[in-house]
């Protein structure tokens, strides 16, 4: 076998792989003999099928399969042994007019295009100064969280007359600009949440309604497109072309009354007598909110590091190769979609090179246990958002294992741990100034 690299320029190369029968004959013969022993074919006793019969019947398929394996292994070994930093994956280069008979006596030549990663340097030093925020719960955020907890443990009722923040259940009928029901128009029975409506005029029109009352509502002014699509049970892309006026006929009013701030409520959330006063309760909720805000603050610092690094690192890529690779590995993407999204793809790729440089230069190791721990942290945070404060360790482990069985989720968590490794390293490299900030002011930061 002869395998060589032919550089086209600093970012593009061709890997040539040449095979002679001596390179593949013994491996192909071994597979044929193995299949002859295992084959169950009409007219032959088990294990007694002649190898010559397997060669005549299945030989070409076996030859193609084994050569693909040899070429694939050789290609990967060449890249590894020569420590080539490639982008994407090798793409087979087709030679026009070249066809093989696959008759066990041929010499083969295969060519693969590869994109080479540009060299980058870590764009950070101890001369850089960034701000790490400690986010404090402002009064509005605290009150909102307290209200959500009280609703989670509150009582449901069906009052006769609607008030602000009730959920109104009724029949929606599409109407024209004269508020007349459109014949053949869309009709749907649904629940409308009034607490998420920001338009005061619309919100006020839904107050004071009782069973049988009708009111015309502009759904697209009241809600975003995704919410309208959910209410009407249609696709989101259908909302844009849809008329937005609907007549609502009230069938029921649903109200969730907030739980009283009493000992029974405190016990349900935190356990027997762990919290005894409203003051202690609000302090506990404040602590929980601010613990959740740590992730927001970390994300802000990560974004600031990302922006700083991206501004400093300039790198050229084998653009045409990468676009072909994106097309080959994402067949559903059109050329237009690849062109439109390529700049964002290249930007993310640039940051990945920076991350990999930091990981490799500092021998940072990503352990499986760390991925599992991160999965458990994310799951626990989700449970807390829905009011469940604790979860048995055994059950949490089970949920984490189920999550990691999903390849896409596992890869996402691996990349998250990798990003955190790099983030922790950079926090120790640059200078960090700490600053307290209320959550509502933090939201105003860019």
């Amino acid at each position: 076998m002869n395998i060589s690299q032919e550089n086209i320029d600093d970012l593009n190369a061709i890997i040539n792989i040449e095979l002679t029968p001596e390179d593949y004959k013994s491996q192909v013969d071994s597979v044929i003999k193995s299949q002859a022993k295992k084959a169950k074919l009409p007219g032959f006793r088990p294990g007694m099928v002649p190898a010559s019969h397997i060669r005549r019947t299945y030989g070409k398929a076996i030859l193609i399969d084994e050569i693909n394996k040899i070429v694939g292994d050789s290609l990967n070994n060449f890249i590894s042994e020569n420590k080539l930093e490639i982008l994407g994956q090798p793409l087979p280069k087709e030679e026009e007019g070249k066809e093989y008979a696959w008759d066990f006596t041929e010499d083969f030549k295969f060519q693969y295009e590869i994109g080479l990663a540009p060299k980058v340097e870590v764009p950070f030093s101890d001369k850089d100064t960034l701000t790490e925020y400690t986010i404090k719960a402002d009064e509005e955020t605290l009150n909102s969280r307290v209200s959500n907890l009280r609703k989670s443990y509150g009582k449901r009722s069906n009052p006769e007359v609607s008030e602000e923040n009730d959920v109104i259940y009724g029949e929606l009928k599409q109407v024209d600009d004269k508020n007349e029901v459109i014949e053949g128009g869309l009709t749907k029975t649904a629940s409308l949440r009034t607490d998420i409506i920001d338009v005061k005029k619309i919100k006020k029109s839904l107050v004071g309604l009782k069973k049988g009352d009708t009111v015309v509502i502009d759904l697209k002014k009241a809600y975003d497109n995704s919410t309208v699509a959910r209410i009407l049970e249609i696709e989101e892309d259908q909302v844009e072309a849809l008329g937005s006026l609907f007549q609502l006929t009230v069938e029921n009013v649903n109200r969730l009354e907030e739980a009283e701030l009493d000992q029974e409520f405190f016990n349900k959330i935190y356990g027997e007598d762990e919290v005894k006063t409203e003051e202690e309760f609000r302090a506990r909720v404040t602590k929980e909110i601010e613990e959740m805000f740590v992730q927001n603050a970390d994300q802000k610092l990560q974004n600031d590091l990302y922006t700083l690094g991206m501004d400093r690192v300039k790198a050229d890529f084998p653009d045409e190769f990468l676009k072909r690779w994106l097309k080959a590995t994402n067949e559903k993407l059109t050329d237009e979609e690849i062109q439109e999204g390529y700049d964002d793809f290249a930007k993310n790729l640039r940051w990945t090179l920076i991350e990999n440089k930091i990981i490799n230069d500092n021998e940072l190791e990503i352990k499986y246990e760390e991925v599992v721990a991160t999965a458990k942290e994310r799951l626990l945070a989700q449970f807390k958002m829905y009011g469940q404060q604790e979860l048995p360790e055994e059950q949490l482990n089970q949920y984490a294992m189920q999550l990691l069985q999903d390849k896409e989720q596992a890869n996402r968590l691996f990349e998250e741990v990798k990003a955190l490794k790099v983030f922790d390293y950079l926090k120790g490299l640059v200078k960090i100034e700490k600053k307290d900030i209320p959550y509502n002011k933090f939201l105003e930061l860019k």
Side-chain angles (χ1 to χ4, degrees):
M1 179 191 303
N2 183 29
I3 181 165
S4 61
Q5 178 180 338
E6 175 188 342
N7 289 334
I8 298 173
D9 53 38
D10 291 340
L11 299 172
N12 295 274
I14 300 289
I15 294 179
N16 297 297
I17 302 175
E18 297 177 6
L19 299 179
T20 65
E22 288 74 20
D23 297 316
Y24 60 80
K25 185 176 184 303
S26 62
Q27 185 167 324
V28 172
D29 287 346
S30 176
V31 172
I32 288 174
K33 289 176 182 177
S34 176
Q35 290 202 12
K37 292 178 182 179
K38 297 176 184 177
K40 295 180 181 179
L41 299 176
F44 298 97
R45 287 185 295 169
M48 300 300 290
V49 179
S52 58
H53 181 77
I54 296 295
R55 181 182 290 268
R56 285 194 305 272
T57 310
Y58 306 107
K60 183 179 286 190
I62 293 172
L63 177 62
I64 292 172
D65 191 40
E66 293 309 307
I67 284 182
N68 280 335
K69 289 178 184 177
I70 292 170
V71 170
D73 290 342
S74 301
L75 185 61
N76 292 331
N77 291 337
F78 182 84
I79 291 170
S80 177
E81 290 168 4
N82 289 275
K83 297 181 180 178
L84 298 180
E85 294 185 31
I86 68 170
L87 302 174
Q89 293 148 351
L91 290 178
K93 184 175 172 53
E94 295 183 7
E95 293 186 69
E96 291 185 11
K98 186 146 190 175
E99 294 184 3
Y100 293 110
W102 301 96
D103 62 2
F104 299 88
T105 63
E106 288 178 287
D107 292 341
F108 295 94
K109 181 178 179 180
F110 302 96
Q111 291 187 310
Y112 286 85
E113 297 178 85
I114 58 171
L116 300 172
K119 301 295 181 184
V120 298
E121 297 300 326
V122 176
F124 305 100
S125 73
D126 57 6
K127 295 180 181 179
D128 297 314
T129 301
L130 290 99
T131 302
E132 182 177 30
Y133 293 97
T134 300
I135 306 173
K136 301 296 183 180
D138 59 87
E139 199 66 21
E140 182 182 352
T141 303
L142 175 59
N143 289 338
S144 175
R145 178 60 179 160
V146 168
S147 177
N148 287 338
L149 286 170
R150 292 176 69 182
K151 286 178 180 177
S152 297
Y153 292 88
K155 297 178 181 178
R156 298 185 182 277
S157 62
N158 300 108
E160 290 187 6
V161 181
S162 66
E163 296 179 2
E164 276 197 15
N165 302 326
D166 285 342
V167 176
I168 299 177
Y169 179 78
E171 185 180 51
L172 291 165
K173 289 185 177 180
Q174 196 172 8
V175 298
D176 57 24
D177 54 6
K178 295 181 180 179
N179 294 344
E180 295 179 358
V181 174
I182 299 173
E183 186 176 352
L186 190 58
T187 298
K188 186 65 61 177
T189 301
S191 295
L192 301 183
R193 285 180 57 183
T194 63
D195 60 318
I196 60 174
I197 297 176
D198 293 326
V199 182
K200 291 182 180 179
K201 185 176 180 181
I202 296 177
K203 194 163 188 170
K204 186 177 180 181
S205 71
L206 298 176
V207 172
L209 300 177
K210 58 184 182 297
K211 185 175 181 179
D213 285 349
T214 61
V215 63
V216 172
I217 178 174
D218 190 324
L219 284 184
K220 289 201 284 191
K221 284 185 179 179
Y223 303 104
D224 59 36
N225 282 2
S226 62
T227 304
V228 173
R230 180 182 53 78
I231 290 171
L232 298 177
E233 296 181 3
I234 59 177
E235 296 298 325
E236 191 170 341
D237 57 9
Q238 295 178 279
V239 174
E240 204 61 45
L242 184 71
S244 59
L245 295 178
F246 282 80
Q247 176 185 278
L248 169 66
T249 302
V250 180
E251 295 184 14
N252 201 7
V253 177
N254 301 309
R255 182 174 301 162
L256 183 59
E257 298 177 0
E258 295 183 353
E260 295 294 327
L261 292 172
D262 54 21
Q263 194 61 50
E264 181 184 0
F265 171 63
F266 300 149
N267 290 348
K268 284 180 180 178
I269 297 180
Y270 296 113
E272 195 72 24
D273 293 334
E274 287 291 318
V275 171
K276 295 183 178 180
T277 67
E278 182 178 344
E279 184 178 6
E280 289 179 5
F281 170 69
R282 292 178 71 85
R284 187 79 171 255
V285 175
T286 298
K287 181 173 180 290
E288 291 170 356
I289 291 173
E290 291 177 353
E291 285 174 351
M292 289 189 286
F293 284 161
V294 170
Q295 190 172 348
N296 299 71
D298 283 348
Q299 188 62 57
K300 168 64 177 168
L301 181 54
Q302 283 178 305
N303 290 342
D304 290 344
L305 284 164
Y306 174 85
T307 301
L308 180 62
M310 295 300 281
D311 287 342
R312 290 178 175 175
V313 172
K314 307 301 178 186
D316 293 324
F317 291 117
D319 298 321
E320 293 309 313
F321 167 81
L322 287 173
K323 288 173 184 177
R324 289 198 301 276
W325 173 72
L326 287 169
K327 181 70 173 177
T329 54
N330 300 274
E331 294 179 356
K332 292 182 179 179
L333 286 179
T334 64
D335 292 337
E336 291 76 15
E337 289 171 330
I338 289 174
Q339 193 65 39
E340 288 174 7
Y342 184 75
D343 286 345
D344 287 337
F345 168 78
K347 187 181 292 184
N348 290 333
L349 188 55
R350 199 153 82 246
W351 180 254
T352 298
L353 293 180
I354 297 172
E355 282 189 322
N356 290 342
K357 176 74 173 171
I358 292 170
I359 291 280
N360 294 330
D361 286 359
N362 298 279
E363 297 181 349
L364 303 180
E365 185 181 358
I366 301 166
K367 299 177 181 177
Y368 177 73
E369 305 85 71
E370 294 171 324
V371 178
V372 174
T374 302
K376 289 161 68 173
E377 287 176 14
R378 298 297 169 260
L379 286 166
L380 198 55
Q382 288 180 15
F383 284 116
K384 283 185 177 180
M385 286 295 293
Y386 292 101
Q388 186 169 347
Q389 301 301 312
E390 300 295 337
L391 200 68
E393 185 66 20
E394 184 178 346
Q395 191 174 4
L396 188 58
N397 280 330
Q398 183 180 353
Y399 286 145
M401 291 303 104
Q402 290 174 353
L403 184 66
L404 291 172
Q405 286 175 5
D406 184 320
K407 186 177 180 180
E408 186 175 329
Q409 293 285 358
N411 288 338
R412 180 184 62 79
L413 286 164
F414 177 86
E415 291 299 322
E416 186 176 340
V417 173
K418 175 184 172 183
L420 288 172
K421 286 273 184 181
V422 171
F423 179 50
D424 287 341
Y425 169 80
L426 291 176
K427 282 178 68 175
L429 176 61
V430 303
K431 291 179 181 176
I432 299 292
E433 290 183 349
K434 295 185 178 290
K435 181 178 180 180
D436 290 353
I437 186 172
Y439 181 62
N440 54 356
K441 295 297 181 183
F442 176 80
L443 292 175
E444 297 174 4
L445 298 175
K446 293 185 179 179

